[in-house]
Coordinates of all heavy atoms in Angstrom, one line a residue:
G1 N -0.3 9.7 -20.0 CA -1.5 8.8 -19.8 C -1.3 7.6 -20.6 O -1.6 6.5 -20.2
E2 N -0.9 7.8 -21.9 CA -0.7 6.6 -22.8 C 0.4 5.8 -22.2 O 0.3 4.5 -22.3 CB -0.3 7.2 -24.2 CG -1.5 7.8 -24.9 CD -1.1 8.5 -26.2 OE1 0.1 8.5 -26.5 OE2 -1.9 8.8 -27.0
G3 N 1.5 6.4 -21.7 CA 2.6 5.6 -21.2 C 2.2 4.8 -20.0 O 2.6 3.6 -19.8
K4 N 1.3 5.4 -19.1 CA 0.9 4.6 -18.0 C 0.1 3.3 -18.4 O 0.2 2.3 -17.8 CB 0.0 5.5 -17.0 CG 0.8 6.5 -16.3 CD 0.0 7.5 -15.6 CE -0.8 6.9 -14.4 NZ -1.5 8.0 -13.7
R5 N -0.8 3.5 -19.4 CA -1.6 2.5 -19.9 C -0.8 1.4 -20.4 O -0.9 0.2 -20.2 CB -2.7 2.9 -20.8 CG -3.8 3.7 -20.2 CD -4.9 3.9 -21.2 NE -4.5 4.9 -22.3 CZ -4.7 6.2 -22.2 NH1 -5.0 6.8 -21.1 NH2 -4.3 7.0 -23.2
F6 N 0.2 1.8 -21.2 CA 1.1 0.8 -21.9 C 1.9 0.1 -20.9 O 2.0 -1.2 -21.0 CB 2.0 1.5 -22.9 CG 3.1 0.8 -23.4 CD1 2.9 0.0 -24.6 CD2 4.4 0.7 -22.9 CE1 3.9 -0.9 -25.2 CE2 5.4 0.0 -23.5 CZ 5.1 -0.8 -24.6
M7 N 2.5 0.7 -19.9 CA 3.3 0.1 -18.8 C 2.5 -0.8 -18.0 O 2.9 -1.9 -17.6 CB 4.1 1.1 -18.1 CG 5.2 1.8 -18.9 SD 6.2 2.9 -17.9 CE 5.1 4.3 -17.7
A8 N 1.2 -0.3 -17.7 CA 0.3 -1.2 -16.9 C 0.0 -2.5 -17.5 O 0.0 -3.5 -16.8 CB -0.9 -0.3 -16.5
Y9 N -0.2 -2.4 -18.7 CA -0.5 -3.6 -19.5 C 0.7 -4.6 -19.4 O 0.5 -5.8 -19.2 CB -0.8 -3.3 -21.0 CG -1.1 -4.4 -21.9 CD1 -2.4 -5.0 -21.9 CD2 -0.2 -5.0 -22.7 CE1 -2.7 -6.1 -22.7 CE2 -0.5 -6.1 -23.6 CZ -1.8 -6.6 -23.5 OH -2.1 -7.6 -24.4
A10 N 1.8 -4.1 -19.6 CA 3.1 -5.0 -19.6 C 3.3 -5.5 -18.1 O 3.7 -6.7 -18.0 CB 4.3 -4.1 -20.0
I11 N 3.1 -4.7 -17.1 CA 3.2 -5.1 -15.8 C 2.2 -6.3 -15.4 O 2.6 -7.3 -14.8 CB 3.1 -3.9 -14.8 CG1 4.3 -3.0 -14.9 CG2 2.9 -4.4 -13.3 CD1 4.2 -1.7 -14.2
V12 N 1.0 -6.1 -15.8 CA 0.0 -7.1 -15.4 C 0.3 -8.4 -16.1 O 0.2 -9.5 -15.6 CB -1.4 -6.5 -15.8 CG1 -2.4 -7.7 -15.8 CG2 -1.9 -5.5 -14.9
N13 N 0.7 -8.3 -17.4 CA 1.0 -9.5 -18.1 C 2.2 -10.3 -17.6 O 2.2 -11.5 -17.5 CB 1.4 -9.1 -19.6 CG 0.1 -8.9 -20.4 OD1 -1.1 -9.3 -19.9 ND2 0.2 -8.4 -21.6
S14 N 3.2 -9.5 -17.0 CA 4.3 -10.2 -16.5 C 3.9 -10.8 -15.1 O 4.4 -11.9 -14.8 CB 5.4 -9.1 -16.2 OG 6.5 -9.7 -15.5
L15 N 3.1 -10.1 -14.3 CA 2.7 -10.7 -13.1 C 1.9 -12.0 -13.3 O 2.0 -12.9 -12.6 CB 1.8 -9.6 -12.3 CG 2.6 -8.4 -11.8 CD1 1.6 -7.4 -11.1 CD2 3.7 -8.8 -10.8
K16 N 1.0 -12.0 -14.3 CA 0.3 -13.2 -14.6 C 1.2 -14.3 -15.1 O 1.0 -15.4 -14.6 CB -0.7 -12.9 -15.7 CG -1.9 -12.0 -15.3 CD -2.8 -11.7 -16.5 CE -4.0 -10.9 -16.2 NZ -4.9 -10.6 -17.3
A17 N 2.2 -14.0 -15.9 CA 3.1 -15.0 -16.5 C 4.0 -15.6 -15.3 O 4.4 -16.8 -15.4 CB 4.0 -14.3 -17.5
N18 N 4.2 -14.8 -14.2 CA 5.0 -15.3 -13.2 C 4.1 -15.7 -11.9 O 4.7 -15.9 -10.8 CB 6.0 -14.3 -12.7 CG 7.1 -14.1 -13.8 OD1 8.0 -14.9 -13.9 ND2 7.0 -13.0 -14.6
N19 N 2.8 -15.9 -12.2 CA 1.9 -16.4 -11.1 C 2.0 -15.6 -9.8 O 1.9 -16.1 -8.7 CB 2.2 -17.8 -10.8 CG 2.1 -18.7 -12.0 OD1 1.0 -18.6 -12.8 ND2 3.0 -19.6 -12.4
K20 N 2.1 -14.3 -10.0 CA 2.0 -13.5 -8.7 C 0.6 -12.9 -8.4 O 0.3 -11.9 -8.6 CB 3.0 -12.3 -8.9 CG 4.4 -12.8 -9.1 CD 5.4 -11.7 -9.0 CE 6.9 -12.2 -9.2 NZ 8.0 -11.2 -8.9
Q21 N -0.1 -13.9 -8.1 CA -1.6 -13.8 -7.9 C -1.9 -12.8 -6.7 O -2.8 -12.0 -6.8 CB -2.4 -15.1 -7.6 CG -3.8 -15.0 -7.8 CD -4.3 -14.5 -9.2 OE1 -3.7 -14.9 -10.2 NE2 -5.2 -13.6 -9.2
K22 N -1.1 -12.8 -5.7 CA -1.4 -11.9 -4.5 C -1.4 -10.5 -4.9 O -2.3 -9.7 -4.6 CB -0.4 -12.2 -3.4 CG -0.8 -11.4 -2.1 CD 0.2 -11.8 -1.0 CE -0.1 -11.0 0.2 NZ 0.8 -11.3 1.4
L23 N -0.4 -10.1 -5.7 CA -0.2 -8.8 -6.2 C -1.4 -8.5 -7.2 O -2.0 -7.4 -7.1 CB 1.1 -8.6 -6.9 CG 2.3 -8.2 -6.1 CD1 3.5 -8.2 -6.9 CD2 2.1 -6.8 -5.5
L24 N -1.8 -9.4 -8.0 CA -2.8 -9.2 -9.0 C -4.1 -8.9 -8.3 O -4.9 -8.0 -8.6 CB -3.0 -10.3 -10.0 CG -1.8 -10.5 -11.0 CD1 -1.9 -11.8 -11.6 CD2 -1.9 -9.3 -12.1
D25 N -4.3 -9.7 -7.3 CA -5.6 -9.5 -6.4 C -5.6 -8.1 -5.8 O -6.7 -7.5 -5.7 CB -5.7 -10.6 -5.4 CG -5.9 -11.9 -6.0 OD1 -6.3 -12.0 -7.1 OD2 -5.7 -13.0 -5.2
E26 N -4.5 -7.7 -5.3 CA -4.4 -6.3 -4.6 C -4.7 -5.2 -5.6 O -5.4 -4.2 -5.3 CB -3.1 -6.1 -4.0 CG -3.0 -4.9 -3.0 CD -1.8 -5.0 -2.1 OE1 -1.0 -6.0 -2.1 OE2 -1.8 -4.1 -1.2
L27 N -4.2 -5.4 -6.9 CA -4.4 -4.4 -7.9 C -5.8 -4.4 -8.3 O -6.4 -3.3 -8.6 CB -3.4 -4.7 -9.1 CG -1.9 -4.6 -8.8 CD1 -1.2 -4.8 -10.1 CD2 -1.5 -3.3 -8.2
A28 N -6.4 -5.5 -8.4 CA -7.8 -5.6 -8.7 C -8.8 -4.9 -7.7 O -9.7 -4.2 -8.1 CB -8.2 -7.0 -8.9
M29 N -8.3 -5.1 -6.4 CA -9.2 -4.4 -5.4 C -9.1 -2.9 -5.5 O -10.0 -2.2 -4.9 CB -8.7 -5.0 -4.0 CG -9.0 -6.4 -3.8 SD -8.4 -6.9 -2.1 CE -9.3 -5.9 -1.1
G30 N -8.0 -2.4 -6.1 CA -7.9 -0.9 -6.2 C -8.7 -0.2 -7.3 O -8.7 0.9 -7.4
V31 N -9.3 -1.0 -8.2 CA -10.1 -0.4 -9.3 C -11.4 0.2 -8.7 O -12.1 -0.5 -8.0 CB -10.4 -1.4 -10.3 CG1 -11.1 -0.8 -11.5 CG2 -9.1 -2.1 -10.8
Q32 N -11.6 1.5 -9.1 CA -12.8 2.2 -8.7 C -14.0 1.6 -9.4 O -13.9 1.1 -10.6 CB -12.7 3.7 -9.0 CG -11.6 4.3 -8.1 CD -11.6 5.8 -8.4 OE1 -12.2 6.3 -9.3 NE2 -10.8 6.6 -7.6
E33 N -15.2 1.6 -8.8 CA -16.4 1.1 -9.4 C -16.7 1.6 -10.9 O -17.0 0.9 -11.8 CB -17.6 1.3 -8.5 CG -17.5 0.4 -7.3 CD -17.5 -1.0 -7.5 OE1 -18.1 -1.5 -8.5 OE2 -16.9 -1.7 -6.7
K34 N -16.5 2.9 -11.0 CA -16.8 3.6 -12.3 C -15.8 3.1 -13.4 O -16.2 3.0 -14.6 CB -16.8 5.0 -12.2 CG -15.5 5.7 -11.7 CD -15.5 7.1 -11.7 CE -14.2 7.8 -11.3 NZ -14.3 9.3 -11.1
E35 N -14.6 2.7 -12.9 CA -13.6 2.1 -13.9 C -13.9 0.7 -14.2 O -13.6 0.3 -15.3 CB -12.2 2.3 -13.3 CG -11.8 3.8 -13.1 CD -11.8 4.5 -14.5 OE1 -11.3 3.9 -15.5 OE2 -12.1 5.7 -14.5
K36 N -14.4 -0.1 -13.2 CA -14.8 -1.4 -13.5 C -15.8 -1.5 -14.6 O -15.8 -2.5 -15.4 CB -15.3 -2.1 -12.2 CG -14.2 -2.3 -11.1 CD -14.9 -3.0 -9.9 CE -13.8 -3.2 -8.8 NZ -14.4 -3.9 -7.7
V37 N -16.8 -0.6 -14.6 CA -17.8 -0.6 -15.6 C -17.2 -0.5 -16.9 O -17.8 -1.0 -18.0 CB -18.8 0.6 -15.3 CG1 -19.9 0.8 -16.4 CG2 -19.5 0.4 -14.0
K38 N -16.1 0.3 -17.0 CA -15.5 0.4 -18.4 C -14.6 -0.7 -18.7 O -14.0 -0.7 -19.8 CB -14.5 1.7 -18.3 CG -15.4 3.0 -18.0 CD -14.3 4.2 -17.9 CE -15.1 5.5 -17.5 NZ -14.2 6.6 -17.4
G39 N -14.5 -1.7 -17.8 CA -13.7 -2.8 -18.1 C -12.3 -2.9 -17.5 O -11.6 -3.9 -17.8
K40 N -12.0 -2.0 -16.7 CA -10.6 -1.9 -16.1 C -10.6 -2.9 -15.0 O -11.5 -3.1 -14.2 CB -10.4 -0.6 -15.5 CG -9.0 -0.4 -15.0 CD -8.7 1.1 -14.5 CE -7.3 1.3 -14.1 NZ -7.0 2.7 -13.7
K41 N -9.5 -3.8 -15.0 CA -9.4 -4.8 -14.1 C -8.3 -4.7 -12.9 O -8.3 -5.3 -11.9 CB -9.1 -6.2 -14.8 CG -10.3 -6.6 -15.7 CD -10.0 -7.8 -16.5 CE -11.2 -8.3 -17.4 NZ -10.9 -9.5 -18.1
H42 N -7.3 -3.8 -13.2 CA -6.2 -3.7 -12.3 C -5.8 -2.2 -12.2 O -5.8 -1.5 -13.2 CB -5.0 -4.5 -12.8 CG -5.3 -5.9 -12.9 ND1 -5.6 -6.5 -14.0 CD2 -5.2 -6.9 -11.9 CE1 -5.9 -7.8 -13.8 NE2 -5.6 -8.1 -12.6
Q43 N -5.6 -1.7 -11.0 CA -5.1 -0.4 -10.7 C -3.6 -0.5 -10.5 O -3.2 -0.8 -9.5 CB -5.7 0.2 -9.6 CG -5.5 1.7 -9.4 CD -5.9 2.6 -10.5 OE1 -7.1 2.4 -10.9 NE2 -5.1 3.4 -11.0
V44 N -2.8 -0.2 -11.6 CA -1.4 -0.4 -11.5 C -0.6 0.9 -11.0 O 0.4 0.8 -10.2 CB -0.8 -0.8 -12.8 CG1 0.7 -0.9 -12.8 CG2 -1.4 -2.1 -13.3

């Protein structure tokens, strides 16, 4: 679980740095409502 969170953070940062907005939008749409409340923004 810790590894998934760590790698997800790195993946999202890389996608942002390389302007891969379409992928970021798709990952954002995958976040469940209960996770959005906790501040989660991307389902990696």
Side-chain angles (χ1 to χ4, degrees):
E2 290 175 348
K4 288 171 67 176
R5 286 190 294 273
F6 174 81
M7 289 184 287
Y9 181 79
I11 287 171
V12 168
N13 281 347
S14 177
L15 294 177
K16 288 179 177 178
N18 290 282
N19 299 312
K20 299 195 176 184
Q21 193 58 48
K22 184 177 179 180
L23 271 176
L24 289 167
D25 291 342
E26 191 163 4
L27 299 183
M29 291 177 62
V31 181
Q32 297 180 351
E33 290 299 325
K34 62 180 181 180
E35 295 298 322
K36 289 181 180 179
V37 174
K38 300 177 184 178
K40 186 173 183 177
K41 296 181 179 180
H42 300 92
Q43 187 64 48
V44 175

